[in-house]
Amino acid sequence: MQPPILLTDEQMQQYIVDGYLVFRPSVPDDLHGIIYEKLNRIIDNEVNPGNNVLPRVPEMRHILNCPEVRGALISVLGPDYLEHPHRFCHPLKPVEEVPSPKEREERLHKNCHQDGYTPLGHPRHHRSRYARIMYYPQDSPEEIGPTHVIPGTQYNTGLSDEDRERAMPVAGEAGTVSLTHFDIGHAAGVSQLKRHRHMIKFIYVRASEPTEPTWASADTTWRKPTSIKSAHDLDHVWSHCWDWSCGKRDRYESLKASGPDPSDALDTLIENLKPSVDLETQLSSITKIATHSERAAPAVDSLVRLLDDNGHKALRVASIYALGAIGEPAIDALVDALRQAGQREASNDPPSPWSEGAILMNDTAHALAAVGPAAISSLVTLLEQSEHEWTRINAAFALGELDSHATEAVPALVDCLSDGSHRVVRTVVDALGNIRSSVPIEPVARMLSVDRSGWDTDELHRWWRPVDQIHTSAATLFAKWGTDATVVETELTTALDDPCGHVGSFALNALQRLGTPTADRAALDFLMSQRWDASIDHERLF
Ligand SMILES: [Fe+2]
């Protein structure tokens, strides 16, 4: 295998800002035609193979293994990234009647969305933890309806009409690949052509927290790209995500290095947060407030008021990371707001921001995670003492966002594995997977086969049940941990037969990473029995 081609600092900065990059894999040109023809036959004659599209068209592995795709994934997710079992071919069939420009525009707007997670919901996230590869095996000019992206919307909770107006086509020749943040807004284009169009997506997951840049880094200083497609300037949000990706322990190092402009009076900046002030002035004032760090404590109440449903989506994310930059003086107000959010959701089952497509965690949880280690003891108190499920879920999520910084929260999180709420347990398993350090294996291993009242009978989404997601989350955790999971080899081998295919897929990955002869044998035995003969189709069964 050729060595991966890693992203440059500039490409990483562009990815953090706009949420996507486009490139062409260096594979033989005729490969795309072979894949295209095969997909045409499948889409015309068979049921869409769904997650099985890769074994159905295994030639696509050459795209996924090429130096450009591997290099891009290593750059944004780290060298030990995991392949998610969800993949999908999104086909557009040849059109019979060309839609009018007005109809095309309306359909494109309607198609705009952020993806749901699978098998069940997972929190939307700002940092680079999930990424998507989109591949076109055919020439994809705008007329064939390539996927559109909405730059910068990976930090959004939902899409506005203003966002939908900005959807832009990722057009290109056969073989074009785009790398996108999982949560970016996007849309299927509308074809005007009498030939097939396919977009095949593949999902990847970060396995471990960044401790150093994993791209071809020459300089870890944050630099705003010269050309930005995102609608709003969120410099302090981007520099925070950059510092996290660089593995800096202080995720505001870049912001502090630039420091506040002495000519900006804090009082005036706070005054600018009033709803009557125009959006761009509010946003630039928030960025300037963030540069004042803890000295901007008087801005806390005004910023907290902009969180959650009250503000414009860009104001919300700007406020989250300004509160994070203020740090300790923001903690009490954020904790209070999170308590109140739990109280408001107490009579909703599930809490209203919890969807089994994607979970919209409270803005206060993102802000407490941005504050960093200073917020840990308050988050642990919420986790241990709050009677409200939604508050406990958000506290667990925020702790998980701190990765190994939150090691001291491990005992409290482990206690929550006995919670009766599958939503709490799912969030806690994810958090422990991120924290990794000092997590006892045995209570987490029990989550590979756990079952509690209602968890195996309540179908939540696409006929998946709570146990399916909890077992998947536990198997994912062990796949992330690599050789740290050696003592659970037997449980992982048993998990290969879980009725939910996602569990077996992650357990297989976990076994593969253990590297023991017995784990290798179990993994290979499973794979050999699952081996798919891609030369068989609906007309030729043997
Ligand atoms: Fe989608």
Side-chain angles (χ1 to χ4, degrees):
M1 215 180 261
Q2 289 173 278
I5 299 174
L6 301 173
L7 299 181
T8 62
D9 286 328
E10 290 74 19
Q11 286 175 307
M12 262 311 278
Q13 286 153 352
Q14 201 79 53
Y15 181 76
I16 286 170
V17 168
D18 292 331
Y20 75 101
L21 293 170
V22 183
F23 48 92
R24 281 202 85 216
S26 57
V27 292
D29 276 341
D30 64 346
L31 179 65
H32 308 302
I34 294 167
I35 294 170
Y36 182 59
E37 291 303 326
K38 220 167 164 178
L39 283 168
N40 289 352
R41 278 200 307 279
I42 292 167
I43 294 303
D44 281 341
N45 299 300
E46 302 173 18
V47 175
N48 189 317
N51 288 350
N52 293 326
V53 68
L54 184 55
R56 187 71 190 83
V57 189
E59 292 84 352
M60 290 195 292
R61 75 188 187 281
H62 299 303
I63 308 294
L64 306 177
N65 291 337
C66 77
E68 293 80 5
V69 170
R70 277 189 300 119
L73 290 168
I74 289 169
S75 299
V76 303
L77 296 175
D80 52 350
Y81 66 82
L82 302 171
E83 200 175 303
H84 194 285
H86 177 50
R87 313 115 170 183
F88 203 79
C89 173
H90 288 277
L92 294 180
K93 289 205 168 186
V95 298
E96 283 165 16
E97 201 176 322
V98 178
S100 70
K102 187 169 182 301
E103 195 186 334
R104 292 204 298 272
E105 192 184 320
E106 283 171 1
R107 277 168 55 188
L108 181 66
H109 277 217
K110 222 170 122 195
N111 287 350
C112 289
H113 66 284
Q114 290 170 289
D115 271 0
Y117 289 79
T118 182
L120 291 175
H122 184 273
R124 295 225 184 279
H125 57 284
H126 300 156
R127 294 158 187 168
S128 186
R129 295 195 190 273
Y130 271 66
R132 181 195 302 99
I133 289 289
M134 296 200 249
Y135 161 63
Y136 304 130
Q138 73 288 317
D139 284 337
S140 299
E142 194 169 346
E143 295 74 30
I144 207 168
T147 303
H148 287 50
V149 292
I150 314 175
T153 49
Q154 67 275 19
Y155 300 109
N156 275 26
T157 44
L159 300 175
S160 62
D161 285 344
E162 176 195 320
D163 295 321
R164 290 167 202 273
E165 290 296 329
R166 294 191 304 106
M168 50 198 287
V170 179
E173 293 172 7
T176 296
V177 163
S178 69
L179 166 76
T180 57
H181 184 293
F182 185 88
D183 291 331
I184 197 171
H186 58 283
V190 180
S191 179
Q192 308 166 51
L193 303 184
K194 294 184 189 308
R195 58 176 191 258
H196 282 281
R197 164 277 205 197
H198 306 295
M199 184 281 279
I200 309 95
K201 75 167 180 191
F202 301 90
I203 311 296
Y204 294 88
V205 184
R206 172 177 286 282
S208 48
E209 73 173 303
T211 53
E212 58 183 356
T214 54
W215 56 95
S217 174
D219 184 357
T220 59
T221 310
W222 164 249
R223 286 193 180 83
K224 195 154 61 175
T226 43
S227 144
I228 290 175
K229 298 189 197 76
S230 175
H232 305 287
D233 189 334
L234 297 171
D235 198 42
H236 67 289
V237 178
W238 302 329
S239 66
H240 176 100
C241 292
W242 167 262
D243 285 354
W244 179 82
S245 297
C246 286
K248 298 178 190 172
R249 297 301 279 176
D250 179 357
R251 283 87 189 251
Y252 288 103
E253 194 180 301
S254 297
L255 187 73
K256 286 173 187 160
S258 57
D261 181 340
S263 65
D264 290 324
L266 199 54
D267 290 354
T268 314
L269 296 174
I270 296 172
E271 199 60 19
N272 286 345
L273 302 186
K274 286 184 177 160
S276 54
V277 175
D278 70 278
L279 176 65
E280 291 310 320
T281 307
Q282 286 192 69
L283 282 171
S284 67
S285 300
I286 294 172
T287 299
K288 288 172 182 171
I289 287 170
T291 62
H292 285 264
S293 303
E294 67 275 7
R295 288 183 302 279
V300 166
D301 289 344
S302 306
L303 290 168
V304 170
R305 270 198 292 277
L306 293 173
L307 300 181
D308 291 302
D309 293 324
N310 302 320
H312 183 282
K313 292 180 194 318
L315 283 178
R316 288 173 58 174
V317 71
S319 300
I320 287 170
Y321 288 95
L323 286 158
I326 293 169
E328 225 162 322
I331 294 174
D332 286 350
L334 288 168
V335 165
D336 242 28
L338 185 47
R339 271 207 193 96
Q340 287 167 30
Q343 207 154 11
R344 276 197 307 277
E345 294 296 335
S347 53
N348 297 326
D349 185 25
S352 54
W354 185 285
S355 148
E356 289 299 354
I359 302 149
L360 305 179
M361 289 297 171
N362 210 257
D363 287 351
T364 53
H366 287 286
L368 285 161
V371 165
I376 291 174
S377 64
S378 303
L379 286 165
V380 168
T381 306
L382 286 177
L383 194 64
E384 289 177 333
Q385 295 179 7
S386 178
E387 58 186 306
H388 301 303
E389 180 195 24
W390 184 233
T391 301
R392 296 201 304 281
I393 287 169
N394 277 277
F397 168 77
L399 289 164
E401 282 297 283
L402 288 168
D403 300 303
S404 66
H405 292 232
T407 303
E408 69 186 80
V410 165
L413 284 163
V414 170
D415 283 349
C416 291
L417 291 174
S418 54
D419 203 292
S421 157
H422 66 87
R423 292 179 278 267
V424 170
V425 174
R426 283 158 59 180
T427 316
V428 165
V429 171
D430 286 345
L432 291 170
N434 289 353
I435 295 171
R436 188 166 175 169
S437 153
S438 308
V439 177
I441 298 260
E442 195 202 327
V444 186
R446 282 200 290 271
M447 299 300 117
L448 280 169
S449 54
V450 69
D451 189 8
R452 286 183 196 143
S453 171
W455 288 8
D456 65 346
T457 50
D458 298 344
E459 289 169 359
L460 296 178
H461 192 49
R462 299 189 195 102
W463 303 282
W464 293 122
R465 308 155 302 160
V467 281
D468 297 317
Q469 182 59 57
I470 293 178
H471 298 174
T472 300
S473 300
T476 308
L477 174 148
F478 289 120
K480 287 179 177 181
W481 286 5
T483 49
D484 287 354
T486 306
V487 293
V488 288
E489 184 181 314
T490 307
E491 291 87 338
L492 289 167
T493 305
T494 305
L496 292 172
D497 287 320
D498 192 285
C500 173
H502 287 70
V503 182
S505 174
F506 282 114
L508 176 70
N509 219 319
L511 286 165
Q512 194 190 6
R513 289 176 177 210
L514 294 189
T516 64
T518 44
D520 282 349
R521 250 197 319 278
L524 200 57
D525 176 57
F526 179 69
L527 277 180
M528 289 299 283
S529 63
Q530 290 220 341
R531 192 192 162 273
W532 187 283
D533 182 348
S535 64
I536 294 302
D537 61 21
H538 68 294
E539 288 175 329
R540 186 172 55 181
L541 300 181
F542 47 86

